[in-house]
């Protein structure tokens, strides 16, 4: 299988390295409009053809699949052209700039019978897979809350706000961990630059059940925090991605409202249980290697990727609604 990579900035080199490491495919071409980036690609992979024109990728009949790792406002146009030429596509997150664009790509992929996949890398990490395993075994009980904090100092994006940049990671994780989908959202944010793009934002997802999810995203924090708290009716989980070894901790902690009592505001009786902390062993397989494997397998066997085009549009739908809510200062937006 011959693969081309469009966009050789921050993520493109990682894609090239992981696909090049596979024995069942070859990275045949790299495309980027910047000469210095093409020079960097040729320096490390001299056998890879380099071009500044994406049309060279689309018109090359030997190219079977295209990985697109460009700013999001190029995703729709590049993916549409690639699919029209019968090529399979792996899109960097977020999938597109709008739900309408994502739906058009899905319809086109179905028509052309090609694989369209979105690179939600975090759901392929060993830590998130372990959390999924714990939840699926029923150890957590009913999921009650999902509280995500993804903050750091920079990098300000020129085309999208902080939610579109950072929240796709944790939204995709939440959607991977539970089959339930939100019915509405509320979001607030603020821009402290002249671009008008929010550099700090808060997003809340509302569900028909008693589950609630909250996301705190910022480019202007003095510290880097990558943390998710998941509360269940039986146990609770802390996922700290900055932690080098003990990324996941399972707390045998819960609370119980005593039955038969007057559950009014002033007479609520709560029984708390604080038990052991379990730290599961987490492997250190590179998540992007699993993404590459899933993409190649989906193409060769017709299997459904774990992070398929439908998971991509679900994330975009939430982000689009969040943008609308921010515009109206936190108003609830139905999904």
């Amino acid at each position: 299988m011959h693969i081309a990579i469009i966009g050789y900035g921050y993520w493109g080199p990682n894609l090239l390295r992981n696909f090049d490491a596979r024995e069942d495919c070859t990275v045949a071409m790299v495309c980027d409009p910047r000469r210095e980036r093409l020079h960097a690609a040729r320096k490390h992979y001299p056998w890879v053809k380099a071009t500044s024109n994406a049309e060279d990728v689309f018109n090359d009949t030997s190219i079977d699949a295209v990985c697109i790792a460009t700013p999001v406002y190029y995703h729709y146009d590049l993916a549409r052209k690639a699919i029209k030429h019968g090529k399979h596509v792996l899109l960097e997150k977020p999938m597109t700039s709008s739900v309408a664009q994502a739906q058009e790509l899905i319809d086109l992929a179905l028509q052309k019978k090609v694989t369209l996949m979105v690179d939600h890398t975090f759901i392929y990490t060993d830590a998130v897979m372990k959390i999924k395993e714990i939840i699926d075994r029923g150890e957590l009980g009913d999921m009650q809350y999902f509280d995500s904090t993804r903050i750091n100092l920079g990098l300000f994006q020129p085309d999208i706000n902080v939610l579109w940049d950072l929240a796709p990671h944790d939204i995709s994780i939440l959607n991977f961990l539970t089959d339930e989908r939100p019915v509405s959202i509320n979001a607030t944010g603020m821009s402290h630059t002249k671009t008008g793009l929010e550099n700090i934002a808060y997003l809340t997802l509302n569900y028909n059940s008693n589950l609630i999810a909250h996301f705190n995203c910022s480019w202007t924090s003095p510290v880097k925090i990558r943390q998710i708290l998941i509360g269940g009716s039986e146990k609770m989980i802390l996922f700290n991605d900055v932690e080098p070894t003990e990324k996941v901790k399972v707390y045998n902690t819960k609370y119980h409202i005593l039955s038969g009592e007057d559950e009014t505001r002033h007479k609520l009786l709560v029984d708390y249980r604080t038990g052991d902390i379990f730290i599961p062993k987490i492997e250190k397989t590179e998540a992007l290697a699993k993404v590459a494997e899933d993409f190649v397998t989906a193409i060769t066997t017709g299997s459904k990727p774990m992070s398929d085009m439908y998971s991509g549009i679900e994330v975009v739908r939430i982000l689009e609604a969040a943008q609308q809510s921010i515009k109206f200062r936190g108003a609830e937006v139905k999904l």
Side-chain angles (χ1 to χ4, degrees):
M1 183 185 302
H2 287 189
I3 292 178
I5 295 174
I6 301 179
Y8 200 72
Y10 170 71
W11 202 240
N14 296 321
L15 287 166
L16 200 161
R17 174 172 52 81
N18 277 277
F19 278 103
D20 178 69
R22 298 190 59 83
E23 296 182 356
D24 53 6
C25 63
T26 299
V27 179
M29 191 179 299
V30 171
C31 176
D32 197 291
R34 297 162 296 181
R35 290 184 178 181
E36 67 275 13
R37 298 309 302 154
L38 294 180
H39 175 73
R42 282 193 295 260
K43 180 179 179 180
H44 294 97
Y45 304 90
W47 61 88
V48 176
K49 183 179 178 181
T51 179
S52 60
N53 189 351
E55 294 297 329
D56 293 339
V57 174
F58 305 138
N59 293 327
D60 190 331
T61 56
S62 70
I63 299 296
D64 303 297
V66 179
C67 302
I68 299 174
T70 66
V72 66
Y73 51 79
Y74 294 122
H75 284 189
Y76 165 73
D77 187 52
L78 291 171
R80 182 172 58 86
K81 289 180 179 179
I83 295 171
K84 280 189 172 183
H85 282 78
K87 303 185 189 305
H88 307 277
V89 173
L90 172 63
L91 270 172
E92 177 53 31
K93 62 81 190 170
M95 183 178 180
T96 55
S97 299
S98 70
V99 172
Q101 290 178 346
Q103 187 60 58
E104 184 176 338
L105 292 183
I106 289 174
D107 293 341
L108 189 59
L110 292 173
Q111 177 189 333
K112 291 291 185 177
K113 297 181 179 179
V114 299
T115 296
L116 174 58
M117 179 174 157
V118 182
D119 181 12
H120 290 141
T121 312
F122 269 88
I123 70 171
Y124 291 86
T125 62
D126 293 314
V128 173
M129 294 292 289
K130 177 60 69 173
I131 294 172
K132 173 74 169 174
E133 179 184 319
I134 293 169
I135 292 175
D136 287 350
R137 285 202 303 260
E139 292 184 28
L140 200 70
D142 296 326
M143 190 184 299
Q144 297 177 336
Y145 66 82
F146 181 99
D147 196 324
S148 162
T149 302
R150 188 171 292 271
I151 60 177
N152 56 269
L153 190 60
L155 170 71
F156 282 72
Q157 300 293 337
D159 58 325
I160 54 176
N161 70 12
V162 69
L163 276 184
W164 283 81
D165 181 37
L166 299 182
H169 294 306
D170 300 311
I171 295 172
S172 64
I173 291 173
L174 174 58
N175 286 346
F176 176 64
L177 296 179
T178 176
D179 293 331
E180 189 175 6
R181 294 296 178 259
V183 295
S184 67
I185 68 99
N186 300 85
T188 56
M190 185 62 64
S191 173
H192 299 102
T193 69
K194 294 181 180 180
T195 66
L197 297 171
E198 291 79 15
N199 53 272
I200 184 169
Y202 305 94
L203 169 64
T204 301
L205 306 186
N206 309 303
Y207 293 79
N208 278 327
S209 69
N210 64 348
L211 172 63
I212 186 169
H214 183 260
F215 304 81
N216 172 8
C217 298
S218 175
W219 290 325
T220 53
S221 166
V223 294
K224 180 177 181 178
I225 299 176
R226 299 285 187 268
Q227 181 172 284
I228 296 174
L229 288 166
I230 305 172
S233 57
E234 296 297 325
K235 294 181 182 180
M236 303 176 185
I237 295 176
L238 168 63
F239 171 35
N240 184 356
D241 196 42
V242 178
E243 171 65 42
T245 55
E246 299 175 353
K247 290 183 179 294
V248 177
K249 294 180 180 179
V250 184
Y251 290 77
N252 189 12
T253 301
K254 64 178 291 186
Y255 65 90
H256 175 64
I257 307 299
L258 297 179
S259 60
E261 300 292 342
D262 182 6
E263 296 182 9
T264 64
R265 180 178 179 183
H266 301 290
K267 297 182 180 180
L268 188 65
L269 295 179
V270 184
D271 178 39
Y272 297 96
R273 184 196 71 201
T274 302
D276 296 331
I277 300 174
F278 172 63
I279 303 175
K281 181 181 178 181
I282 304 296
E283 303 296 332
K284 294 184 178 180
T285 309
E286 185 174 1
L288 194 52
K290 295 181 180 179
V291 173
E293 179 180 4
D294 201 14
F295 185 50
V296 172
T297 301
I299 294 170
T300 55
T301 69
S303 62
K304 179 181 179 293
M306 197 162 64
S307 180
D308 64 3
M309 54 191 178
Y310 300 108
S311 64
I313 196 173
E314 285 182 354
V315 172
V316 174
R317 183 173 288 110
I318 291 171
L319 294 172
E320 191 174 77
Q323 197 61 49
Q324 184 179 353
S325 180
I326 289 174
K327 181 179 179 181
F328 293 101
R329 297 183 176 274
E332 183 178 17
V333 176
K334 301 291 185 180
L335 294 171

